[in-house]
Amino acid sequence: MHCIILSIICVIALVSQHCLARPCRDQLVAPLYASSFEASSRYNFLYSANLARLHGGSGWSPAPRDRQPWLQINLLHKYRITAIATQGTFNSYDWVTKYTLLYGDRPDTWTPFVQRGGNSTFSGNWNYYQVKKHNLHYAITAKHLRILPVGWNPAGKIGLRLEVYGCFYDSYVMAFDGDDMVAYRFGRNTMKTLKDVIALNFKTLERDGLLLHGEGPQGDYLTLELVDSKLVMHISLGSSSVHDMTGHTSVTLGNLLDNQHWHYVTIHRYGNYVNLTLDGETASIRCSGDFLYLNLDKELYIGGVIEGNKPHLPNKHNFRGCMENVFYNGVNIIDLAKNKMPQIRFPHRKKKIYYACQDLLLKPMTFAGINNFLQVPGPFRRNRMSVKFKFRSWDATGLLMYTNFADNLGSLKMALSEGQVNISIAQPRKKPLEFAAGYRLNDGFWHSVDLVARDNFATVIIDEEEGSPLRINNIFTLRTGDRYFFGGCPKPANGTGCVSDLIAFHGCMQQIYIDSEPVDIDIIMQRRLGRYSQLLLGTCGITDRCTPNLCEHEGKCIQSWDDFICNCDNTGYKGEVCHKSVYKESCEAYRLSGKYYSGNYTIDPDGSGPLKPFVVYCNMQENKAWSVVRHNREYGTKVTGTSMERPFVGDVQYYNASWGEVSALANGSEYCEQRIQYDCYKSRLLNTPNGHPYGFWIGRNQERHFYWGGSFPGIEKCGCGIAKSCSDARFYCNCDADYRQWSYDKGLLNYVDHLPVMQVVVGDTNRTASEARFTVGPLRCYGDRNTWNTVSFTKTTHMEFPTFRPGTSADISFHFKTTADHGVFVENPGPPYFIRVELNSTTELLFIFSVGDGIINATLKSPTPLNDDQWHFVKAEINVKMARIKVDEQPWVVRRFPSQSYVNLVFTKPLLVGAAEYKMRGFLGCLRGLRMNGVTLNLEGKVNELEGIKYNCSGHCWNTSEVLCRNGGRCVEKYSTYLCDCNETAFDGLYCHKDIGGYFEPGTWLRYSIRSAAITVAAQFANIVDPQSFTLGYNQTSEEIVFSFSTTETPAVLLYISSFTNDYIAVVLKHDGSLDLRYRLGLFINKYTLINRNMADGDPHIVNVTRNEREIRIEVDYMQPIFQSIPLIFDKKFDSPKSLFLGRVLETGVIDPEIQKYNTPGFTGCMSGVKFNNIAPLKAYFRPNQTDPPITIMGELVESNCGAGLVVLPPIPLEIDPWYTGPVFPYIHDDTPSGPVIAVIVMLVLLIVFGTVAALYLYLYHYKGSYHTNEPKAIESPSSVKPLTEEAPRKEQNLPKIQEEDRGE
């Protein structure tokens, strides 16, 4: 029974825990009654407000004449709201495309929900049935909701169904009037905590006030306050005067918090790490100092500090407003105060405490349209005018108020101009009377204007400063008109008389008084008084777009009502948000850009990163540029009186640069060096070989290094120890000899990953007469190893890097080259947000992303192909203003975002390079110099040849250790392998290694027509004048002839090239089998003997003849080349080649008799690999690449290799042959049993053999016993409890006795 009760308790506990931990996602609209819905109007009863439930059978639509429709929902209780979803009207063309969400605790005071980026407009639906859901980036609390449709389907009307998600919210509220406070007493004298969670909500009209304060006896404190409408937190975990350490840390969030709206604050602290969150925006800080615990003394103050005669903290105002749900580490302080618990202390004086928020119903209005205005009536024809109102705005210019005087006496115009209130009184036929008051009134805060005027007198008071009003005494006559216009004039005026060339006012107004009478906003909303257009009544929708400041690198943010700009002057950066550096990364970059003179230059090694630019000296040389950074330790630092326990630590302070900035320079350089020297007088440096060093230096990342100049990392030696030239051979440094004389150790430090030198530590100068001096030279660097960080992708794969965390802006740059037509260069995948740069086609470069408003892309279309196997440079950028991409010197392709956009560059998965997620759309090619937000990604560190990622970009074609294309074939890089282009050769095959030849039967010949007409004299003259523009299509003074042949018949003309003149080239096989070369160039014939021995022996032979100008190179069968020359008196041009003949010459016209006598009966045998310059006649015949090749055949020509090609190159090794797929086994038989059948047969045979052996063994063992008996054996039941060795009782009387055999036998 106890077990059952315990189980029930456990189940109840688990269910309760699940209910408490479940997400805040309850449907809040679905269970409401119809009375909870209200609207400005309805189209008809079928479109009533109560039908606006998600997935309902209808929907809400307002009346067509409703100019400012709204739908309002009373949730009946206060709820915590986390999401909202919308649909259009069921089965219609009616849906809302944009809307605004207002919320509040009362139905007459509203707060607009502002999304990230300052946008108060939600995107709606694109059809009637799909649900568009928005998860709020921070949860709000409200009892009433109002939806304002802003845009809808132009083919229909407004149609809305919706649902709101959240959970019940318990509200504990307390009002403070500046004279109140609550002190929460701890259970013990001090509260020492490692972690804290503090949460509270507040709303106020005041710009300053103390929200929370606690302090401790050791300098600890925690303060949360409003300062100039911003939330400021001060925290200290303790300070120490002994160690000169202060723990004070401050952080500021938000702005315009005096708007009488609820704001939600949370503080999470663990140790010295603190997160402060305000309305969904979080600032993360690390407290100064090394302490981890917060020690608070006795109590925590809420709303102010009131002690005895101290009404508040020095220079602090107590809070005036309302607070809700103040929690300190799980304790609800307002709940304790409401129940008068002993942990709560109030001020000693008696005063009533209010546990409800009594708001001042100011009912502001928002002027947010292009032609917004408010028209209200006023008393007519009075000689005194009184207008008073409050406004707040970011705009420097706008019309505040306009009125016409009665009886055509003129008009009065009040406008905001350059942050001042300008008043202009116009009179007929007189110059306008103008005056101004105030200063910088467009700062976003509330400002009051009080205007009083009568005949010949006017006074203006700004911000109720009655001690310094502006008074004007001029002659003018005033009779008030009956209409006052605020915020702008109607467009068109339509007889209203309101005429102004000023733009409309954008901002908020409230507390409007005309002739000391307040303007009733409720009556205006009911349209029973005045007129208005493009106004949002009952709320102030101003937003601070400069908090947080989206301008980077200390750029100044300047905002207007609906946008902001960044002033980047004097920051060293440029761009829409001051993201791009105006300086080069190094001196090398300046040299490559054309700066060849030495001098001081400003560099920015991390580009758009957080480090600032700094000045260096650039020593420009012909092939490199040295970046030189000087510092304060170049001229020697004297050190005495130090020991290993209390060493001297000398900081190396670089001029104009921090350690981080100088480290960035060294990190991006190809080579760096820094000279270091230690002068010593009885002062040791690195000690004995096995002892602890007395001195060392500290480099990048605060790492200690125990080697000195001239030595190497990991070796505790000086330069003399490496050279074995130290003054005492027992030591590795001169100073370690510890002589009473001056000595030194010096040398260069050039391991770039350890530089720069940041500190030098000296620890052995505390003995008598002991002294040391150290000197550090300037840092000198050259080269740029970021640009040439290069890899090749030969397979579909990707590299994986840590998640890209760019902040609010991102820039990506890299070089690539490829022959592929698509591929993803870089991607940080989602969901929900992602960013990707890819080659989409041969000419399209795509920058695609989803960062808060759906999938968007910027597409660059190049006029030339990008897969031309040449390097191309890509840059892509994205910020809250735009996204853009460019390649090489082509113009930017820009995709601008609408104002109030928010770019959510928060990714959750690793960054991928080389392919998209799941290795989709892989890039094949080379990638180098990939930088993201100024940080170079180490591509070479991710090389994995098994995955297809290789170093550099040389590929197969540039690696001489691998197989190259043969016989003049062109190697074409394909990244995963290579191809051989054999088009310009006479060969075929994967490596251009296969001969293409033919067997010439007796009488067979081939003619290849080179030209159809002779070259004209004009063309020859043009070629002489401008050979680059007017080419003849061939070289007249050079040619190359290559072919192979085998035959046993003589004589024959093997190859003959005719011309339209008498010029020709011929290779003839004479009667004795020898080879001759005949040239006729002009009037003379040149005869050259190629070889004298008999070549008609049936073996294959190769002939190679190459001429350049007058020099002829002759090579037969790879023997020693023979060089001949054409005499100077002969012509060297071969004019107008006509045809190429193989086997026999059948040319029209006269043939040289010397050729004719070898022309019959013709060539009989094999010929292959024939090539004349770029003409391969046999290949053109057997492998035609055009429909009608210029070839004529007579006789029978059959394709044959003929074995004409001599094997002079080694075979291709299998391990480097990219086309090798494995050995090929010959097919033997198909009727043999399969492998499994053979295995079964073998097992059966083995089983039979072992079974026979086992049976024999058992049989023999059975007859080997010591005795035999015929006695039956006892049988026991398996369930018997008797021992197995116990025998059953015998009945001897019934059994014959058998004599037992002797054991000895």
Side-chain angles (χ1 to χ4, degrees):
M1 187 65 181
H2 291 287
C3 295
I4 295 174
I5 295 174
L6 183 60
S7 300
I8 294 173
I9 293 174
C10 292
V11 170
I12 293 174
L14 289 173
V15 172
S16 301
Q17 183 178 4
H18 172 74
C19 293
L20 291 174
R22 64 184 176 85
C24 189
R25 296 291 183 185
D26 297 337
Q27 294 185 8
L28 306 182
V29 174
L32 295 176
Y33 293 108
S35 58
S36 292
F37 296 84
E38 187 180 351
S40 58
S41 64
R42 67 181 185 182
Y43 191 79
N44 56 45
F45 73 96
L46 297 177
Y47 299 93
S48 299
N50 62 298
L51 301 177
R53 292 180 173 87
L54 200 69
H55 302 297
S58 181
W60 168 73
S61 292
R65 295 183 179 180
D66 192 347
R67 291 181 297 170
Q68 286 194 326
W70 48 262
L71 173 68
Q72 187 170 308
I73 301 173
N74 182 0
L75 299 176
L76 304 179
H77 301 283
K78 195 167 185 177
Y79 286 90
R80 186 170 182 261
I81 299 170
T82 59
I84 182 172
T86 59
Q87 277 181 309
T89 299
F90 178 74
N91 197 22
S92 71
Y93 291 97
D94 306 337
W95 57 81
V96 172
T97 57
K98 293 181 179 179
Y99 63 92
T100 298
L101 172 65
L102 306 180
Y103 64 95
D105 295 339
R106 301 169 53 97
D108 51 5
T109 302
W110 300 103
T111 302
F113 183 85
V114 180
Q115 302 179 81
R116 288 189 173 102
N119 187 5
S120 59
T121 302
F122 287 85
S123 58
N125 302 92
W126 55 91
N127 53 41
Y128 78 87
Y129 56 89
Q130 287 184 309
V131 176
K132 177 65 174 180
K133 185 176 182 180
H134 289 277
N135 294 313
L136 307 185
H137 71 277
Y138 70 95
I140 58 176
T141 60
K143 181 180 178 182
H144 299 271
L145 299 175
R146 176 176 282 189
I147 309 297
L148 305 179
V150 177
W152 51 88
N153 179 24
K157 58 181 182 295
I158 295 175
L160 183 63
R161 292 177 289 171
L162 83 161
E163 182 57 85
V164 177
Y165 301 90
C167 52
F168 191 80
Y169 185 77
D170 287 322
S171 177
Y172 299 87
V173 180
M174 183 174 178
F176 296 82
D177 63 359
D179 252 353
D180 300 322
M181 74 127 199
V182 173
Y184 169 63
R185 297 173 176 174
F186 304 136
R188 46 188 181 275
N189 289 334
T190 60
M191 176 66 74
K192 182 178 181 181
T193 57
L194 176 64
K195 58 181 180 180
D196 294 298
V197 179
I198 302 172
L200 61 91
N201 307 334
F202 73 90
K203 65 178 179 178
T204 181
L205 288 172
E206 303 295 326
R207 295 167 61 172
D208 301 285
L210 183 68
L211 296 171
L212 179 147
H213 177 75
E215 57 187 45
Q218 300 177 350
D220 297 28
Y221 55 81
L222 173 64
T223 302
L224 190 67
E225 62 175 333
L226 287 176
V227 178
D228 203 18
S229 295
K230 298 179 175 65
L231 183 68
V232 182
M233 182 186 71
H234 310 282
I235 186 171
S236 174
L237 301 182
S239 301
S240 173
S241 58
V242 176
H243 297 91
D244 191 23
M245 180 176 63
T246 177
H248 176 77
T249 308
S250 295
V251 62
T252 302
L253 270 181
N255 196 10
L256 307 182
L257 302 179
D258 58 339
N259 54 7
Q260 193 68 359
H261 299 163
W262 282 114
H263 298 283
Y264 310 92
V265 182
T266 306
I267 301 173
H268 287 88
R269 183 189 70 86
Y270 187 89
N272 53 7
Y273 292 94
V274 183
N275 285 345
L276 174 64
T277 302
L278 170 67
D279 296 341
E281 179 192 347
T282 300
S284 300
I285 61 170
R286 185 181 185 275
C287 298
S288 303
D290 298 327
F291 300 110
L292 300 178
Y293 288 86
L294 177 64
N295 296 276
L296 299 182
D297 192 9
K298 296 182 181 179
E299 53 193 4
L300 183 70
Y301 297 92
I302 309 297
V305 176
I306 301 175
E307 291 291 347
N309 58 356
K310 184 169 66 174
H312 53 77
L313 284 180
N315 303 319
K316 304 286 184 186
H317 296 280
N318 291 340
F319 177 71
R320 186 188 298 270
C322 298
M323 287 197 201
E324 179 184 49
N325 290 6
V326 180
F327 283 87
Y328 173 75
N329 291 334
V331 178
N332 189 337
I333 295 177
I334 294 182
D335 185 33
L336 295 179
K338 188 175 182 179
N339 292 291
K340 304 294 190 297
M341 301 302 290
Q343 301 98 313
I344 300 299
R345 182 174 66 85
F346 296 98
H348 294 297
R349 60 184 180 276
K350 299 233 174 168
K351 185 180 179 185
K352 186 176 181 181
I353 305 294
Y354 293 94
Y355 294 99
C357 196
Q358 300 175 349
D359 295 336
L360 292 175
L361 299 181
L362 302 176
K363 297 183 180 180
M365 62 190 75
T366 304
F367 294 80
I370 298 177
N371 297 317
N372 52 226
F373 73 92
L374 170 66
Q375 175 188 331
V376 294
F380 185 58
R381 300 191 81 248
R382 293 187 181 181
N383 60 0
R384 181 181 182 277
M385 174 189 292
S386 173
V387 178
K388 182 179 181 181
F389 60 92
K390 288 186 176 181
F391 75 93
R392 68 192 311 177
S393 178
W394 296 114
D395 286 357
T397 304
L399 181 63
L400 293 174
M401 190 272 291
Y402 182 92
T403 183
N404 282 315
F405 296 155
D407 303 330
N408 296 320
L409 293 178
S411 63
L412 185 146
K413 178 172 60 178
M414 184 186 301
L416 192 62
S417 177
E418 301 302 326
Q420 290 183 311
V421 172
N422 286 3
I423 299 173
S424 175
I425 300 176
Q427 302 174 80
R429 296 178 299 278
K430 291 184 180 180
K431 185 178 179 180
L433 178 62
E434 297 182 349
F435 53 96
Y439 174 69
R440 295 188 64 182
L441 301 179
N442 60 328
D443 56 1
F445 295 117
W446 284 111
H447 297 283
S448 64
V449 180
D450 190 352
L451 169 67
V452 177
R454 61 178 183 270
D455 290 346
N456 306 326
F457 175 81
T459 179
V460 179
I461 299 175
I462 304 295
D463 291 337
E464 301 179 353
E465 295 181 1
E466 297 183 359
S468 57
L470 176 65
R471 291 186 174 90
I472 300 298
N473 294 284
N474 289 79
I475 298 175
F476 64 92
T477 303
L478 185 149
R479 296 294 182 269
T480 60
D482 60 348
R483 283 175 288 191
Y484 292 80
F485 296 90
F486 291 89
C489 290
K491 302 294 183 183
N494 291 332
T496 61
C498 183
V499 179
S500 174
D501 55 356
L502 291 175
I503 63 173
F505 167 77
H506 292 147
C508 301
M509 288 189 185
Q510 66 181 15
Q511 296 175 283
I512 300 175
Y513 291 84
I514 297 177
D515 201 21
S516 302
E517 292 293 329
V519 174
D520 194 331
I521 299 299
D522 292 332
I523 300 178
I524 293 176
M525 291 177 66
Q526 297 169 13
R527 300 192 179 276
R528 290 185 293 158
L529 178 68
R531 298 169 55 205
Y532 65 90
S533 175
Q534 301 178 3
L535 260 64
L536 187 60
L537 301 176
T539 185
C540 179
I542 192 170
T543 301
D544 186 0
R545 306 186 192 284
C546 290
T547 303
N549 187 4
L550 297 179
C551 302
E552 302 177 23
H553 302 109
E554 300 180 358
K556 183 180 179 181
C557 180
I558 303 172
Q559 62 182 315
S560 62
W561 174 255
D562 57 358
D563 203 356
F564 74 95
I565 60 173
C566 294
N567 184 354
C568 307
D569 294 346
N570 302 319
T571 64
Y573 295 86
K574 61 183 178 179
E576 292 75 18
V577 292
C578 309
H579 181 73
K580 298 167 55 180
S581 178
V582 301
Y583 304 110
K584 303 290 185 183
E585 293 85 357
S586 63
C587 293
E588 181 70 13
Y590 278 110
R591 185 184 72 86
L592 294 176
S593 67
K595 305 291 185 181
Y596 299 116
Y597 49 89
S598 300
N600 292 328
Y601 290 80
T602 301
I603 65 172
D604 192 353
D606 73 332
S608 60
L611 300 177
K612 295 181 180 180
F614 59 97
V615 178
V616 299
Y617 180 80
C618 291
N619 182 9
M620 301 295 187
Q621 299 181 4
E622 183 178 356
N623 59 345
K624 68 181 68 171
W626 289 89
S627 302
V628 183
V629 190
R630 308 186 72 90
H631 54 78
N632 63 333
R633 301 290 181 183
E634 295 183 23
Y635 302 105
T637 301
K638 180 179 178 181
V639 181
T640 58
T642 62
S643 63
M644 294 182 66
E645 293 75 20
R646 296 180 64 87
F648 172 83
V649 180
D651 291 343
V652 181
Q653 300 293 339
Y654 291 88
Y655 300 147
N656 306 316
S658 66
W659 286 345
E661 291 157 3
V662 180
S663 297
L665 170 63
N667 186 57
S669 300
E670 180 183 344
Y671 172 83
C672 288
E673 65 180 24
Q674 209 163 0
R675 184 171 296 276
I676 190 168
Q677 179 171 338
Y678 187 78
D679 296 281
C680 54
Y681 187 94
K682 200 170 179 56
S683 174
R684 292 160 290 184
L685 180 56
L686 298 183
N687 205 349
T688 60
N690 297 318
H692 191 278
Y694 287 99
F696 52 89
W697 60 279
I698 298 175
R700 196 189 311 174
N701 301 324
Q702 295 296 314
E703 294 180 354
R704 299 182 177 187
H705 302 291
F706 303 112
Y707 67 96
W708 208 248
S711 184
F712 307 103
I715 303 175
E716 293 187 16
K717 294 182 180 181
C718 297
C720 68
I722 298 296
K724 298 183 179 180
S725 60
C726 296
S727 56
D728 191 328
R730 297 174 300 170
F731 302 101
Y732 297 145
C733 295
N734 291 321
C735 290
D736 289 343
D738 205 20
Y739 293 150
R740 289 184 175 271
Q741 63 184 29
W742 281 101
S743 184
Y744 64 85
D745 288 290
K746 65 179 181 179
L748 282 178
L749 301 171
N750 55 13
Y751 187 66
V752 67
D753 290 335
H754 288 173
L755 296 176
V757 178
M758 296 181 177
Q759 293 174 315
V760 178
V761 179
V762 180
D764 186 29
T765 60
N766 61 337
R767 294 175 294 165
T768 303
S770 179
E771 184 179 338
R773 293 187 180 90
F774 70 86
T775 305
V776 181
L779 178 70
R780 303 175 72 247
C781 299
Y782 72 80
D784 187 352
R785 62 175 174 179
N786 292 330
T787 302
W788 294 103
N789 196 309
T790 310
V791 295
S792 302
F793 291 89
T794 61
K795 298 179 182 178
T796 299
T797 186
H798 57 59
M799 300 176 176
E800 187 173 301
F801 290 90
T803 304
F804 184 37
R805 305 186 186 280
T808 57
S809 302
D811 68 272
I812 304 170
S813 63
F814 57 88
H815 295 78
F816 81 93
K817 75 172 184 175
T818 184
T819 57
D821 60 358
H822 71 275
V824 172
F825 300 113
V826 59
E827 179 188 61
N828 211 131
Y833 307 117
F834 72 90
I835 188 171
R836 180 167 69 238
V837 181
E838 67 172 306
L839 183 66
N840 194 41
S841 68
T842 58
T843 58
E844 280 191 356
L845 202 60
L846 197 64
F847 184 27
I848 184 170
F849 47 87
S850 175
V851 290
D853 197 16
I855 299 177
I856 305 174
N857 69 74
T859 302
L860 184 149
K861 295 185 178 181
S862 173
T864 58
L866 299 174
N867 63 335
D868 55 358
D869 205 20
Q870 300 296 320
W871 283 112
H872 298 283
F873 181 52
V874 178
K875 294 178 70 176
E877 299 176 11
I878 184 172
N879 53 56
V880 296
K881 296 285 188 177
M882 66 172 68
R884 59 184 180 178
I885 187 170
K886 71 173 296 186
V887 61
D888 300 330
E889 299 303 321
Q890 298 184 28
W892 287 97
V893 172
V894 180
R895 182 69 179 265
R896 296 192 179 275
F897 302 147
S899 60
Q900 307 176 10
S901 295
Y902 180 77
V903 176
N904 196 343
L905 296 174
V906 178
F907 309 114
T908 57
K909 292 186 178 181
L911 175 70
L912 306 178
V913 177
E917 196 174 16
Y918 309 117
K919 299 184 180 180
M920 302 293 290
R921 294 183 62 81
F923 167 72
L924 297 180
C926 297
L927 207 62
R928 69 175 173 90
L930 176 59
R931 303 191 78 178
M932 304 186 71
N933 269 19
V935 178
T936 300
L937 272 63
N938 186 12
L939 301 179
E940 295 178 349
K942 298 286 186 176
V943 165
N944 186 339
E945 296 201 3
L946 294 178
E947 290 287 329
I949 308 173
K950 298 182 178 181
Y951 283 106
N952 298 322
C953 194
S954 58
H956 298 79
C957 293
W958 295 96
N959 193 340
T960 57
S961 65
E962 296 191 4
V963 179
L964 296 179
C965 301
R966 302 181 179 183
N967 299 306
R970 186 174 67 91
C971 185
V972 180
E973 195 69 64
K974 299 302 288 187
Y975 302 107
S976 59
T977 180
Y978 67 94
L979 296 179
C980 292
D981 182 1
C982 308
N983 289 331
E984 302 298 325
T985 73
F987 294 82
D988 197 5
L990 296 176
Y991 312 105
C992 308
H993 62 290
K994 293 182 179 180
D995 271 337
I996 299 177
Y999 186 81
F1000 288 75
E1001 298 287 347
T1004 301
W1005 55 269
L1006 178 147
R1007 181 179 67 195
Y1008 185 97
S1009 298
I1010 300 175
R1011 295 183 61 87
S1012 60
I1015 299 174
T1016 64
V1017 177
Q1020 292 186 3
F1021 180 76
N1023 175 254
I1024 294 172
V1025 175
D1026 188 2
Q1028 298 296 328
S1029 301
F1030 299 95
T1031 177
L1032 299 178
Y1034 69 96
N1035 194 325
Q1036 294 179 298
T1037 60
S1038 299
E1039 58 267 341
E1040 181 181 17
I1041 301 171
V1042 182
F1043 64 93
S1044 301
F1045 75 97
S1046 63
T1047 185
T1048 58
E1049 303 293 333
T1050 62
V1053 178
L1054 299 179
L1055 180 143
Y1056 181 88
I1057 304 166
S1058 66
S1059 70
F1060 286 95
T1061 64
N1062 291 326
D1063 294 358
Y1064 69 84
I1065 303 173
V1067 179
V1068 297
L1069 180 67
K1070 298 196 294 185
H1071 294 82
D1072 59 357
S1074 62
L1075 287 178
D1076 272 4
L1077 172 64
R1078 308 290 177 95
Y1079 265 104
R1080 177 166 181 163
L1081 303 176
L1083 300 175
F1084 302 98
I1085 299 175
N1086 299 290
K1087 299 180 181 179
Y1088 306 99
T1089 299
L1090 299 182
I1091 193 168
N1092 285 319
R1093 67 182 181 88
N1094 183 17
M1095 306 297 288
D1097 54 3
D1099 293 333
H1101 301 284
I1102 296 179
V1103 178
N1104 189 321
V1105 178
T1106 304
R1107 181 175 75 95
N1108 185 15
E1109 298 287 338
R1110 298 184 181 276
E1111 298 296 327
I1112 302 175
R1113 180 184 182 276
I1114 301 170
E1115 184 177 1
V1116 179
D1117 288 349
Y1118 302 104
M1119 294 189 296
Q1120 188 71 24
I1122 300 172
F1123 294 91
Q1124 302 286 353
S1125 62
I1126 299 175
L1128 294 176
I1129 61 174
F1130 294 170
D1131 194 2
K1132 63 178 181 178
K1133 292 185 178 180
F1134 182 52
D1135 291 331
S1136 297
K1138 180 181 179 182
S1139 302
L1140 183 150
F1141 290 88
L1142 298 179
R1144 194 174 181 184
V1145 181
L1146 289 177
E1147 182 64 283
T1148 58
V1150 179
I1151 301 177
D1152 190 335
E1154 287 292 324
I1155 300 299
Q1156 190 64 40
K1157 68 179 182 180
Y1158 301 113
N1159 199 26
T1160 55
F1163 175 72
T1164 301
C1166 280
M1167 192 176 294
S1168 65
V1170 181
K1171 182 182 178 185
F1172 167 65
N1173 291 344
N1174 62 342
I1175 299 172
L1178 292 178
K1179 185 176 182 180
Y1181 176 66
F1182 292 114
R1183 305 284 189 275
N1185 57 8
Q1186 52 183 310
T1187 57
D1188 189 16
I1191 295 176
T1192 303
I1193 295 289
M1194 181 63 71
E1196 188 73 19
L1197 180 60
V1198 181
E1199 183 176 0
S1200 173
N1201 189 312
C1202 310
L1206 296 178
V1207 181
V1208 295
L1209 295 177
I1212 301 171
L1214 298 181
E1215 61 273 12
I1216 63 173
D1217 184 358
W1219 302 99
Y1220 176 68
T1221 58
V1224 178
F1225 297 98
Y1227 175 77
I1228 301 176
H1229 288 289
D1230 198 25
D1231 54 354
T1232 56
S1234 63
V1237 174
I1238 295 175
V1240 171
I1241 295 173
V1242 172
M1243 291 178 63
L1244 289 174
V1245 171
L1246 292 176
L1247 184 62
I1248 293 172
V1249 171
F1250 282 110
T1252 304
V1253 172
L1256 290 173
Y1257 174 80
L1258 292 175
Y1259 178 80
L1260 295 175
Y1261 182 82
H1262 177 72
Y1263 287 100
K1264 189 182 176 183
S1266 57
Y1267 67 93
H1268 297 275
T1269 177
N1270 292 326
E1271 181 179 349
K1273 295 183 179 180
I1275 300 176
E1276 285 277 325
S1277 171
S1279 62
S1280 175
V1281 296
K1282 295 182 181 180
L1284 294 176
T1285 56
E1286 185 177 354
E1287 295 181 351
R1290 300 179 179 178
K1291 295 183 179 179
E1292 298 183 358
Q1293 63 275 16
N1294 297 327
L1295 296 175
K1297 293 184 180 180
I1298 300 175
Q1299 186 177 359
E1300 187 175 347
E1301 294 182 354
D1302 184 56
R1303 298 189 178 208
E1305 297 175 358

